[in-house]
Amino acid sequence: MERRNFLKNLGIGVTAAFVAGKSVAGELTKSITFTMENFNTHEFPALPFAYDALEPYIDARTMEIHYDKHHRAYFNNFQNAIKGTPLDNQTIEKIFAGVSGSGDAVRNNGGGFYNHVFFWNNLAARSAGPSGGLSSALTSTFGSFDKFKETFGNAAKTRFGSGWAWLYFTADKKLAIGSTPNQDNPLMDLSSIKGTPLLALDVWEHAYYLKYQNRRPEYVDAFWNVVNWEEVGKRYQQALK
């Protein structure tokens, strides 16, 4: 594989899931977990579950539109923005590290592409809750798992306009919660929060409006039923290295 297709190991070490095959409602695809060093900046990955897999918390029609329209548009626009430029040969991590000088098309569409790949892979049809080192770290940092959920939920509910809520690992190896506007993320040099993303929640209206309308708090509360804690735990363990 060419170097441009992979994130190099610069201490980010986030895990995600890359999916081979095509997802449609009523069908499940086989996923292969890989580290973010292998994040492909030039390929639009398949959704790691069927459109209806997260019902009733996230409805199939929203998932289909969100993935196949919004996410795909970010990917296509990102490819167009970097094509024929030096960024075309850079990893997504390096692009984000200097995104303040790359223009809005790269910032918004690169963020939209990456953030959604990350988001899909911290979702699952069944959510068993965190375990092991991650569970202990959440309790130690926030006082309890319920307090963590409250703090993260507040970050998502109070993000003005469109954006994302994040659980992330800081450079000094601490868990933190914050939010970013639009398609920014903690990997970007211009972000107000910086670190290794562990868990993300999309709070753009297109992520929930068909089912929840303007009731974002209900969508945020429903999110806890579909968190892929196994994947988040892998991201946490990798970030510790």
Side-chain angles (χ1 to χ4, degrees), residues 189-207:
D189 63 343
L190 45 63
S191 177
S192 61
I193 60 172
K194 293 182 175 64
T196 302
L198 301 178
L199 176 69
L201 176 56
D202 187 347
V203 293
W204 282 65
E205 283 192 341
H206 64 240

Side-chain angles (χ1 to χ4, degrees), residues 205 208-219:
E205 283 192 341
Y208 62 86
Y209 198 83
L210 290 182
K211 181 176 180 65
Y212 297 97
Q213 288 81 52
N214 65 330
R215 304 188 305 275
R216 183 193 289 183
E218 290 185 29
Y219 161 70

Side-chain angles (χ1 to χ4, degrees), residues 23-34:
S23 282
V24 294
E27 297 179 4
L28 293 175
T29 56
K30 184 178 180 181
S31 62
I32 302 173
T33 299
F34 78 117

Side-chain angles (χ1 to χ4, degrees), residues 16-129:
F18 177 80
V19 179
K22 183 178 181 181
S23 282
V24 294
E27 297 179 4
L28 293 175
T29 56
K30 184 178 180 181
S31 62
I32 302 173
T33 299
F34 78 117
T35 63
M36 283 300 292
E37 286 85 348
N38 294 332
F39 184 87
N40 191 328
T41 61
H42 291 80
E43 184 171 349
F44 186 64
L47 195 66
F49 41 74
Y51 292 139
D52 63 352
L54 307 183
E55 293 269 13
Y57 308 107
I58 301 178
D59 61 284
R61 184 57 175 157
T62 293
M63 184 58 64
E64 181 180 5
I65 294 171
H66 196 173
Y67 168 74
D68 200 42
K69 303 300 182 183
H70 293 281
H71 188 196
R72 192 180 296 276
Y74 286 123
F75 171 75
N76 290 338
N77 291 335
F78 175 60
Q79 297 305 306
N80 290 334
I82 65 173
K83 186 177 181 179
T85 76
L87 300 179
D88 199 24
N89 296 312
Q90 293 182 5
T91 64
I92 196 77
E93 184 181 35
K94 189 172 182 180
I95 291 171
F96 288 159
V99 78
S100 59
S102 300
D104 288 343
V106 173
R107 173 185 179 180
N108 294 332
N109 293 295
F113 168 45
Y114 169 86
N115 292 357
H116 283 88
V117 174
F118 189 92
F119 181 49
W120 306 140
N121 291 294
N122 68 211
L123 299 176
R126 297 177 181 84
S127 182

Side-chain angles (χ1 to χ4, degrees), residues 159-176:
R159 162 47 57 186
F160 183 77
S162 300
W164 295 75
W166 302 90
L167 171 69
Y168 62 101
F169 211 47
T170 64
D172 56 352
K173 303 292 184 179
K174 295 180 180 179
L175 292 176

